[in-house]
Amino acid sequence: DAKTTQPNSMESNEEEPVHLPCNHSTISGTDYIHWYRQLPSQGPEYVIHGLTSNVNNRMASLAIAEDRKSSTLILHRATLRDAAVYYCILRGLPINDYKLSFGAGTTVTVRA
Amino acid sequence: DTEVTQTPKHLVMGMTNKKSLKCEQHMGHRAMYWYKQKAKKPPELMFVYSYEKLSINESVPSRFSPECPNSSLLNLHLHALQPEDSALYLCASRNRAKNTEAFFGQGTRLTVV
């Protein structure tokens, strides 16, 4: 499985943007980039995913580098509720039933 | 309904006990997953079921026995566990046919004494 590398932790102030980087230099052409987050004492929840183009949804934006070897999750205005561990995952191939294998993730702290 | 429901929320069991964890979803998802998560670590994939058949076993010890009796239900049978098996056990489901997100349950917090 292709691996991802993320910083261990990031801090942000409330209502400021947060840019979370993810390196995936061994990504293959068919790997989708998925982001999940896990709030304290909860199961992970989906944030966003993409293949080549940048993506936006109500939670965040995903910027994917042209060579696809890295991506950045952008939280436009952090709130206290955004404090969580954020995981960047390369979704596996159909032959592997699209398995989701989590890396270490980035712990995001939001200061009031 | 986009919920994955796991029961029980908490479970304490002895090393000689047999217990089961249950996971249920009614979204019509035909891929279901079990993960194990130790404190301050990421979830580790244990099993994947696809169309009610076991498709991936990530070399999990046989004291963990998964079962998928129908398309809505996933069980994890536990027997002769060790204290180091204490963890949060997470279930997830996904639309097998589409490139969509996985939905996770809130987990079962298992303590083996």
Side-chain angles (χ1 to χ4, degrees):
Chain A
D1 297 334
K3 297 271 189 253
T4 61
T5 305
Q6 299 176 251
N8 288 336
S9 61
M10 291 192 77
E11 287 191 2
S12 174
N13 294 317
E14 204 174 5
E15 299 195 3
E16 289 185 356
V18 182
H19 288 70
L20 300 176
C22 180
N23 287 321
H24 28 78
S25 58
T26 59
I27 192 170
S28 73
T30 55
D31 282 336
Y32 280 79
I33 302 156
H34 282 240
W35 284 82
Y36 285 76
R37 71 180 186 181
Q38 188 171 21
L39 279 65
S41 303
Q42 294 193 25
E45 65 174 345
Y46 168 81
V47 177
I48 200 166
H49 76 279
L51 182 62
T52 56
S53 305
N54 295 344
V55 184
N56 300 300
N57 67 21
R58 64 174 179 80
M59 289 181 71
S61 295
L62 177 60
I64 301 173
E66 200 166 328
D67 63 6
R68 299 206 334 119
K69 293 184 185 302
S70 66
S71 60
T72 302
L73 179 71
I74 303 163
L75 308 178
H76 294 287
R77 290 183 66 197
T79 69
L80 296 178
R81 198 194 170 280
D82 292 320
V85 180
Y86 286 77
Y87 296 102
C88 169
I89 301 166
L90 300 184
R91 193 212 69 182
L93 295 172
I95 194 170
N96 287 328
D97 278 303
Y98 306 106
K99 71 177 185 178
L100 295 174
S101 297
F102 288 76
T106 298
T107 300
V108 171
T109 304
V110 180
R111 292 183 293 255
Chain B
D1 179 9
T2 57
E3 269 197 33
V4 174
T5 304
Q6 290 189 243
T7 54
K9 289 191 174 9
H10 300 275
L11 178 63
V12 179
M13 63 183 289
M15 288 188 282
T16 57
N17 291 160
K18 286 185 182 180
K19 296 286 185 183
S20 296
L21 309 185
K22 179 180 169 182
C23 172
E24 201 162 2
Q25 56 87 15
H26 297 286
M27 294 177 277
H29 292 171
R30 304 303 291 277
M32 295 186 77
Y33 308 78
W34 279 115
Y35 287 84
K36 173 183 177 179
Q37 186 174 26
K38 302 282 275 184
K40 302 203 180 298
K41 295 290 186 183
E44 292 177 40
L45 183 66
M46 299 175 72
F47 302 104
V48 179
Y49 269 83
S50 178
Y51 296 104
E52 295 85 68
K53 293 193 189 317
L54 183 65
S55 64
I56 296 176
N57 176 340
E58 295 283 76
S59 303
V60 178
S62 60
R63 58 186 184 270
F64 295 92
S65 175
E67 178 197 20
C68 190
N70 60 57
S71 59
S72 300
L73 190 55
L74 185 66
N75 297 318
L76 186 63
H77 302 299
L78 314 172
H79 174 54
L81 294 193
Q82 303 297 310
E84 57 264 30
D85 296 320
S86 299
L88 181 68
Y89 288 84
L90 293 161
C91 173
S93 74
R94 186 172 193 176
N95 186 323
R96 175 66 176 80
K98 300 181 181 179
N99 176 29
T100 57
E101 68 267 36
F103 292 82
F104 284 80
Q106 296 301 295
T108 293
R109 176 76 59 190
L110 174 69
T111 303
V112 181
V113 296

